[in-house]
Amino acid sequence: MNETVIQSLYIVAFALFIYGLMGLTGPRTAVRGNKIAAAGMVVAVVATLLTPGLGNWWLILLGVAIGAVIGVPAARRVKMTAMPQMVALFNGVGGGAIALIAWVEFRSSGGFAHEAAYVTVASLFAAIVGSASFWGSNVAFGKLQEILPGRPVSVGRLQQPLNLLVLLLSVGCAVAVVVGGTTEWLMGGLLVFSSVLGLLVVLPIGGADMPVVISLLNAATGLSAAAMGLALDNTALIVAGMIVGASGSILTNLMAKAMNRSIPAIVAGGFGGGTAVAAAGDGDRSVRQTSAADAAIQLAFARQVIVVPGYGLAVAQAQHAVRQLAGTLEDKGVAVYYAIHPVAGRMPGHMNVLLAEADVPYDRLREMDQINGEFERTDVTLVIGANDVTNPAARTDPSSPIHGMPILNVDESKSVIVLKRSMSPGFAGIDNALYYDRRTAMLFGDAKSSVTDITEELKAL
């Protein structure tokens, strides 16, 4: 009877996981979906705690208490600009936990001496992937937090052979355990080599690819959890891990396509975060500056305005100011839309989350494929802190590192106003040819202050 209750609870938990995941497809239902999935996890944890023979209750309660004390305040206090770092850090913790569980299982079973072959293989796979994901996620966190340099850090042509060597050493330790090795040195070596592999894989990847890397590491952590669940015969870990692994893999593939790059090319590293690459052109490198008053006049006489948000908007926390600006324009009869590039910001959905926080109507958000045809009919496009995703060199300059990457066709607008602090390049380290276009005007300064000034000027007209 007890087993029936446990399995029934697991089924309820999985249903809540899937239903919650469905809610994450839109900003209006995302919060509810997140809460439903969290409730599913609570049910899964309760089901696991009901497992017969489970002991060390005080240790379990201590772990829950420590996790709550650290996790809840961190999640509540994190700023939206630091959300990508938080995601990377939490993902790394998951991978590290899986690696530690594999280590404990190795010790408690005498080196998997009397375990079935699939248990041994699944545990070792989970240990390798979980450990690599933990350290890789920490490097991603360091790059995003600017503790580590955002540029690629590698040993040049030796990087890929070195990665392969470390991977083979990890696999070699795993094979030795499978064929009967029970010494803790083998398992320790596997974890060390896997950790080094995680560092070596992520360090050479530049800042421009960090959103894809976070998604890829998230998928890896999910797969390691599923493998560990198979070894432990824990249904919750298997299902939850597969959901995370599958969704993370799909998202990684979609983002890689949005950048017109393959996942192996991203993992190979060497792109983004370096010295700025100059935009090709006719040699005229001058830019045209504007003021808040002039920008307000342009916007007031427009029929359609498109706002293109980027990481600069997140840094300035300008989403609420942008919402107020849009409201003022709409009161004057101007149609306002928001163009969302799949890799804008520093994590998947970064701009959607920011705009949803400011109560921007979801029907005003347009994905890249939906909005690109509208730019040529747009009077003014307002670019706020978006760099690489608006760079026309991706279409026009075959020598550009981002050539072929799908972008927002901002340069097709009748006029463009770019809000930036300075002329510094984006995360990819590439100068933006858009800034030198004759139809583009630059408004330098803090994005929130600039948007607020434009709004005040609009109200005065």
Side-chain angles (χ1 to χ4, degrees):
M1 183 64 182
N2 192 34
E3 182 64 24
T4 302
V5 171
I6 293 173
Q7 294 303 320
S8 298
L9 287 174
Y10 278 142
I11 292 173
V12 171
F14 307 150
L16 291 173
F17 286 161
I18 296 171
Y19 187 56
L21 189 62
M22 290 170 61
L24 299 180
T25 56
R28 291 180 178 175
T29 57
V31 174
R32 184 181 66 189
N34 197 30
K35 290 179 179 178
I36 291 172
M41 182 55 71
V42 171
V43 173
V45 170
V46 170
T48 301
L49 294 178
L50 291 176
T51 302
L54 193 68
N56 295 323
W57 282 98
W58 287 110
L59 190 60
I60 292 172
L61 292 175
L62 178 63
V64 171
I66 293 174
V69 168
I70 296 175
V72 173
R76 286 185 175 275
R77 295 175 185 174
V78 63
K79 296 180 179 179
M80 288 307 301
T81 49
M83 192 60 71
Q85 293 92 303
M86 177 66 75
V87 171
L89 202 57
F90 278 6
N91 178 68
V93 169
I98 295 298
L100 289 175
I101 292 172
W103 167 256
V104 170
E105 287 300 306
F106 176 85
R107 296 192 64 188
S108 62
S109 63
F112 304 120
H114 303 291
E115 298 287 353
Y118 79 90
V119 172
T120 303
V121 172
S123 298
L124 294 173
F125 174 83
I128 292 174
V129 177
S131 185
S133 179
F134 172 75
W135 289 103
S137 296
N138 276 280
V139 172
F141 166 80
K143 284 178 174 280
L144 292 171
Q145 192 66 20
E146 298 182 354
I147 298 172
L148 297 174
R151 68 179 186 279
V153 178
S154 70
V155 291
R157 294 181 179 179
L158 294 177
Q159 186 66 50
Q160 297 310 316
L162 183 60
N163 290 358
L164 180 59
L165 174 62
V166 175
L167 175 61
L168 290 175
L169 289 172
S170 299
V171 174
C173 290
V175 171
V177 172
V178 171
V179 298
T182 58
T183 174
E184 291 187 9
W185 286 104
L186 285 174
M187 192 64 178
L190 180 148
L191 293 173
V192 169
F193 290 133
S194 301
S195 301
V196 174
L197 180 64
L199 296 172
L200 291 176
V201 167
V202 181
L203 275 172
I205 300 176
D209 288 330
M210 277 302 114
V212 185
V213 171
I214 292 174
S215 181
L216 182 61
L217 290 170
N218 187 56
T221 298
L223 292 175
S224 67
M228 201 67 241
L230 182 64
L232 297 175
D233 194 24
N234 186 290
T235 312
L237 267 179
I238 295 173
V239 175
M242 289 306 299
I243 291 174
V244 173
S247 58
S249 299
I250 293 170
L251 181 58
T252 302
N253 186 52
L254 289 174
M255 294 181 70
K257 286 183 177 179
M259 298 176 69
N260 196 39
R261 304 186 68 213
S262 66
I263 295 174
I266 291 171
V267 174
F271 175 68
T275 304
V277 178
D282 57 5
D284 182 8
R285 307 291 294 166
S286 61
V287 297
R288 182 166 60 91
Q289 295 191 45
T290 189
S291 64
D294 289 341
I297 292 172
Q298 275 188 273
L299 293 168
F301 287 95
R303 286 174 297 177
Q304 178 168 293
V305 171
I306 294 179
V307 178
V308 179
Y311 185 66
L313 180 140
V315 171
Q317 288 289 284
Q319 62 269 28
H320 294 282
V322 170
R323 178 69 183 93
Q324 292 174 0
L325 172 62
T328 304
L329 288 170
E330 287 165 352
D331 290 341
K332 292 180 178 293
V334 180
V336 181
Y337 298 98
Y338 301 81
I340 309 298
H341 193 281
V343 295
R346 292 189 179 179
M347 76 171 184
H350 199 177
M351 297 301 104
N352 302 70
V353 172
L354 280 174
L355 296 174
E357 183 193 9
D359 294 324
V360 172
Y362 185 56
D363 59 2
R364 292 290 174 176
L365 272 60
R366 297 287 189 273
E367 298 297 331
M368 179 174 61
D369 293 339
Q370 295 176 298
I371 200 69
N372 265 346
E374 290 292 321
F375 281 110
E376 61 184 12
R377 295 187 289 272
T378 299
D379 298 297
V380 183
T381 294
L382 194 62
V383 180
I384 308 176
N387 289 288
D388 305 317
V389 298
T390 65
N391 194 338
R395 287 197 325 266
T396 61
D397 182 11
S399 66
S400 173
I402 62 171
H403 184 256
M405 169 182 161
I407 62 165
L408 295 167
N409 297 330
V410 172
D411 59 317
E412 295 180 357
S413 306
K414 295 175 183 176
S415 64
V416 180
I417 301 174
V418 178
L419 275 58
K420 275 180 65 69
R421 289 181 180 272
S422 67
M423 288 295 292
S424 59
F427 225 29
I430 300 168
D431 203 7
N432 194 339
L434 176 69
Y435 304 156
Y436 309 101
D437 191 290
R438 59 182 178 81
R439 290 172 292 184
T440 300
M442 308 292 296
L443 179 56
F444 294 110
D446 175 73
K448 184 177 181 179
S449 299
S450 297
V451 172
T452 301
D453 291 342
I454 293 173
T455 304
E456 293 302 318
E457 294 287 348
L458 271 171
K459 292 178 179 178
L461 292 175

